[in-house]
């Protein structure tokens, strides 16, 4: 496939903008349609990025013949149904994390994807961040094995706001959204499936209706363990910090940066063609389309993560 890949992007919020910025650096790709719920804001963002078509309806974009692929940066609760709509319309699709917040909906997406033969992947960005890729390369070379991962995912979010401080139309979730990153990354980095998972959560917020604090323990088949702490109550610093404790060293990953256990910075600038995890994720999506292959972070590869999240939800509700 040598022609330009024409893309529709749904969701002009904080994460949609990150994708638009990343795509600007990728040759042979053009965003031709922008979909979001507020038409005025959508037109404004479309104008900024030179996107000809703006709409509030995903179906309108899916009906455009020139659209080859769709990137979904929409509310969690819409992910599975919108991914299915894209596949059924014959479009390749990348959906932001999480794939679903109901496991059986994720299973249905995999079934339809297999039938369609289209490229479908989920935005498990940690697989693509240079910091985590550096660790993955060391594991694949047989130079490092994980004994424990210790992960902290901390935000200060007591109202329904997004990363840009704008009001959200949906409620974020520690388990189905934020824990999904680490549950998938742990199994991916260990190269071993998760065989044991436990969770406890703090009180449910009276207005948001979600737990604001959560603790998760995981064990992989190869014996590695993971401890994950999540909070919406943490007043800085914000984000996710990963400590890899292994047989030959300790590494601290903070988004695209990496340090030793002694806080010595590791140069990861040569790991990939960019230092931007979102851009690298998008590059993989478009490369898989052009090469007609399964992408890293495909539906099939990440679905086991959602099985674990489902099992944890059953535990927490039990």
């Amino acid at each position: 496939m040598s022609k330009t890949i024409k893309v529709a992007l749904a969701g002009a919020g904080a994460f949609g903008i990150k994708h638009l910025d990343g795509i600007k650096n990728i040759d042979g790709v053009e965003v031709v349609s922008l979909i979001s719920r507020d038409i005025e804001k959508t037109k404004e963002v479309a104008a900024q990025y030179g996107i000809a078509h703006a709409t509030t309806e995903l179906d309108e974009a899916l009906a455009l013949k020139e659209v080859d692929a769709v990137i979904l940066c929409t509310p969690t609760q819409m992910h599975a149904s919108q991914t299915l709509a894209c596949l059924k319309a014959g479009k390749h699709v990348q959906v932001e994390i999480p794939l679903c917040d109901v496991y059986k909906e994720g299973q249905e997406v995999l079934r339809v994807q297999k039938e369609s033969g289209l490229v479908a992947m989920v935005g498990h960005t940690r697989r693509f961040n240079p910091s985590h890729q550096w660790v993955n390369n060391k594991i694949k070379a047989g130079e490092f094995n994980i004994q424990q991962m210790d992960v902290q995912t901390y935000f200060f979010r007591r109202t329904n706001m997004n990363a840009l401080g704008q009001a959200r139309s949906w409620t974020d979730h520690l388990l189905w959204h934020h824990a999904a990153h680490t549950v998938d990354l742990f199994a991916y980095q260990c190269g071993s499936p998760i065989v044991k998972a436990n969770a406890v959560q703090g009180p449910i917020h009276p207005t948001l209706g979600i737990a604001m604090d959560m603790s998760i323990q995981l064990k992989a088949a190869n014996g590695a363990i993971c401890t994950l702490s999540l909070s919406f109550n943490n007043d800085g610093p914000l984000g996710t910090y990963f400590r890899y404790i292994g047989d030959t060293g300790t590494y601290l990953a903070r988004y695209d940066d990496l340090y030793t256990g002694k806080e010595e910075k590791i140069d990861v600038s040569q790991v990939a063609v960019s230092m931007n995890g979102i851009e690298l994720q998008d590059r993989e999506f478009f490369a898989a389309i052009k090469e007609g292959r399964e992408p890293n972070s495909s539906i099939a590869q990440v679905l086991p993560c959602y099985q674990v999240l489902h099992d944890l939800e059953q535990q927490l509700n039990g």
Side-chain angles (χ1 to χ4, degrees), residues 19 43 46 66 99 115 131 145 184-185 193 277 281 307 314:
H19 281 279
K43 283 178 175 172
E66 69 266 30
L99 167 63
E115 267 180 17
S131 51
N145 292 294
D184 178 67
L185 183 70
Q281 178 183 308
Q307 168 83 65
Q314 302 303 106

Side-chain angles (χ1 to χ4, degrees), residues 7-10 30-35 51-55 60-61 64 67:
V7 182
L9 186 135
E30 182 189 356
V31 181
V32 295
S33 179
L34 186 67
I35 308 108
I51 302 165
H53 181 258
T55 178
E60 190 183 316
L64 297 172
V67 169

Side-chain angles (χ1 to χ4, degrees), residues 11-313:
F15 239 79
I17 299 293
K18 286 185 180 184
H19 281 279
L20 291 173
D21 287 338
I23 291 168
K24 279 194 302 191
N25 301 322
I26 305 173
D27 290 335
V29 180
E30 182 189 356
V31 181
V32 295
S33 179
L34 186 67
I35 308 108
S36 214
R37 62 195 170 97
D38 178 338
I39 192 62
E40 290 313 314
K41 185 189 166 199
T42 310
K43 283 178 175 172
E44 190 182 311
V45 175
Q48 278 171 10
Y49 287 87
I51 302 165
H53 181 258
T55 178
T56 58
E57 299 301 321
L58 177 62
D59 287 348
E60 190 183 316
L62 293 179
L64 297 172
K65 276 201 173 64
E66 69 266 30
V67 169
D68 302 303
V70 183
I71 297 177
L72 297 170
C73 309
T74 50
T76 293
Q77 292 75 16
M78 301 162 87
H79 285 181
S81 61
Q82 288 186 334
T83 304
L84 285 168
C86 294
L87 291 169
K88 287 172 180 174
K91 314 294 186 188
H92 303 289
V93 59
Q94 180 190 170
V95 59
E96 259 314 321
I97 198 169
L99 167 63
C100 58
D101 58 0
V102 177
Y103 179 57
K104 67 176 190 294
E105 291 179 4
Q107 290 176 298
E108 175 64 6
V109 172
L110 179 60
R111 187 190 69 76
V112 173
Q113 183 276 322
K114 280 182 172 169
E115 267 180 17
S116 73
L118 292 160
V119 172
M121 69 179 273
V122 189
H124 284 257
T125 315
R126 300 295 161 262
R127 289 182 177 221
F128 300 94
N129 290 112
S131 51
H132 298 294
Q133 276 200 52
W134 188 94
V135 174
N136 190 263
N137 292 342
K138 224 168 171 51
I139 292 166
K140 282 181 177 158
E143 297 168 2
F144 181 72
N145 292 294
I146 295 168
Q147 289 162 326
Q148 181 173 184
M149 275 176 69
D150 186 79
V151 186
Q152 299 174 329
T153 294
Y154 291 158
F155 298 95
F156 188 70
R157 185 176 292 155
R158 292 178 182 169
T159 54
N160 224 0
M161 305 296 263
N162 72 8
L164 297 176
Q166 300 160 337
R168 268 200 169 119
S169 60
W170 54 287
T171 305
D172 204 359
H173 204 282
L174 287 177
L175 179 67
W176 284 101
H177 177 186
H178 296 285
H181 280 293
T182 298
V183 170
D184 178 67
L185 183 70
F186 175 59
Y188 176 69
Q189 296 287 54
C190 289
S192 183
I194 292 165
V195 292
K196 196 169 185 184
N198 301 309
V200 291
Q201 65 185 11
I204 302 297
H205 191 278
T207 54
L208 293 175
I210 55 167
M212 302 294 277
D213 291 277
M214 196 174 288
S215 174
I216 294 172
Q217 290 177 310
L218 306 169
K219 185 173 186 177
N222 68 358
I225 63 170
C226 176
T227 306
L228 169 61
S229 169
L230 306 110
S231 182
F232 281 149
N233 278 319
N234 180 67
D235 196 3
L238 311 180
T240 302
Y241 304 94
F242 299 82
R243 179 182 289 269
Y244 288 98
I245 301 170
D247 55 349
T248 57
T250 295
Y251 303 106
L252 305 170
R254 300 182 180 122
Y255 289 97
D256 296 315
D257 295 323
L258 188 67
Y259 302 83
T260 67
K262 297 182 175 71
E263 291 286 348
E264 300 150 335
K265 189 157 187 180
I266 295 168
D267 180 11
V268 293
S269 63
Q270 302 307 307
V271 170
V273 296
S274 166
M275 282 290 288
N276 180 337
I278 303 290
E279 179 190 326
L280 294 172
Q281 178 183 308
D282 288 343
R283 283 181 181 275
E284 171 66 3
F285 178 48
F286 301 128
I289 292 169
K290 287 192 169 175
E291 295 160 21
R293 62 168 172 83
E294 180 184 359
N296 183 4
S297 194
S298 67
I299 306 289
Q301 289 174 18
V302 303
L303 198 62
C305 155
Y306 295 92
Q307 168 83 65
V308 172
L309 298 178
H310 170 75
D311 293 346
L312 289 171
E313 185 175 69

